[in-house]
Amino acid sequence: AYKNNIPVFCPALTDGSIGDMLYFHSYSRPGFILDIVADIRAVNDQALKARKTGVIILGGGLVKHHTMNANLMRNGADFCVYVSTAQEFDGSDSGARPDEAVSWGKIR
């Protein structure tokens, strides 16, 4: 990704053990700043400015939610593929089918 100038985002970076380590590290490095708001702005701005967007979701959960919401800002992704073992019955975003995303405007 770095060699081709492709941005990489991790919206769940502060979740779990890594978040704990970032917390502790911030005390030994007072100038260390992790701006999650800047990340969500960058993700949404990229979606808004794109001529077309395509989404490949492997799994689900938080990453699916953030990616699809960014496309909601632009009235939906043009292309989308979901690969997941999650099921629809529990009402989670992970198991939501593409027709649910179409109803919300996350996919055209």
Side-chain angles (χ1 to χ4, degrees), residues 2 12 22 43 93 97:
Y2 174 77
L22 291 169
V43 169
D93 189 38
R97 298 180 343 181

Side-chain angles (χ1 to χ4, degrees), residues 1 8 12 14 18 20 34 42 45 47 59 64 68 71-73 84 92:
V8 176
T14 58
I18 291 177
D20 297 341
L34 180 64
D45 286 348
K64 179 181 179 187
M68 299 313 293
N71 280 279
L72 174 67
M73 305 294 173
S84 177
S92 70

